[in-house]
Amino acid sequence: MPTIPAGSTITAATMKLTMVSGTSLAYNASAYQVTGGEWDPTTIQWTNKPVANVLLESNISNNDRTKYQFSVLTAVQHWYDGDPTGQNENYGIMLRYYDESLTGYYNSVYSGDVVDTNSRPKLTISYTISGGSYSVLEGGTLTLPLTRAGGTVTWTSSDTSVAIVNSNGIVTG
């Protein structure tokens, strides 16, 4: 997970998984936050699956049989916020097919160690940084401070009639 500055508000989080292979009937799935149980990928079976009862998104379509893309906002918020009570522990994400009684149907997705970086799972997180205020005169510029950023940073202005910001975090009033 990338470093997100303290006090930030996470506004969106999207997971994209690229398909390796699969069967024709396993199209739609639901994503759940895994909240308990033992997660050992070498021994996991459907009969001993971990507890995953926090629904993240339902009816996720496997568009064109190549990708699943879905929101994981709740899970990312739990990871970011932490949970000292342990009630919202977060061990990962589980996809379940729309009909869990189906047998013999599956879809496989690439893992993070695949050579083709475009096929690796991709987590995109959008957030706003709170705290601090800045002033810039009309026509003037200001470089926004950024430390400990991980991943790709995209700067935007909520009101471009007041200020614009370029890809380097330079604001023009």
Side-chain angles (χ1 to χ4, degrees):
M1 177 122 147
T3 302
I4 298 172
S8 298
T9 302
I10 298 171
T11 56
T14 304
M15 175 65 76
K16 182 175 80 174
L17 302 173
T18 302
M19 306 300 293
V20 175
S21 62
T23 57
S24 61
L25 292 182
Y27 288 114
N28 293 339
S30 294
Y32 291 85
Q33 177 180 322
V34 177
T35 56
E38 295 296 321
W39 184 268
D40 180 352
T42 62
T43 63
I44 193 77
Q45 299 292 322
W46 192 247
T47 55
N48 70 340
K49 67 182 182 277
V51 177
N53 53 12
V54 177
L55 178 65
L56 299 172
E57 187 170 325
S58 62
N59 202 26
I60 303 164
S61 176
N62 174 359
N63 64 355
D64 75 5
R65 307 263 320 128
T66 62
K67 290 183 179 28
Y68 280 114
Q69 185 165 320
F70 51 94
S71 173
V72 291
L73 179 60
T74 301
V76 169
Q77 285 172 327
H78 286 162
W79 284 327
Y80 177 69
D81 295 338
D83 183 8
T85 67
Q87 293 178 13
N88 289 312
E89 290 191 58
N90 197 338
Y91 298 102
I93 297 164
M94 176 188 290
L95 290 180
R96 294 185 191 162
Y97 293 120
Y98 66 97
D99 182 352
E100 294 182 8
S101 66
L102 290 174
T103 59
Y105 299 102
Y106 69 94
N107 281 326
S108 298
V109 296
Y110 285 103
S111 67
D113 59 357
V114 67
V115 174
D116 177 12
T117 57
N118 291 323
S119 294
R120 292 179 182 168
K122 181 178 181 180
L123 174 62
T124 302
I125 301 172
S126 299
Y127 58 92
T128 57
I129 300 171
S130 55
S133 62
Y134 302 93
S135 298
V136 62
L137 296 174
E138 185 175 343
T141 62
L142 166 75
T143 301
L144 296 171
L146 179 65
T147 58
R148 294 180 36 179
T152 303
V153 174
T154 304
W155 297 98
T156 59
S157 172
S158 62
D159 188 346
T160 57
S161 68
V162 174
I164 58 171
V165 60
N166 71 14
S167 60
N168 297 316
I170 298 173
V171 177
T172 302

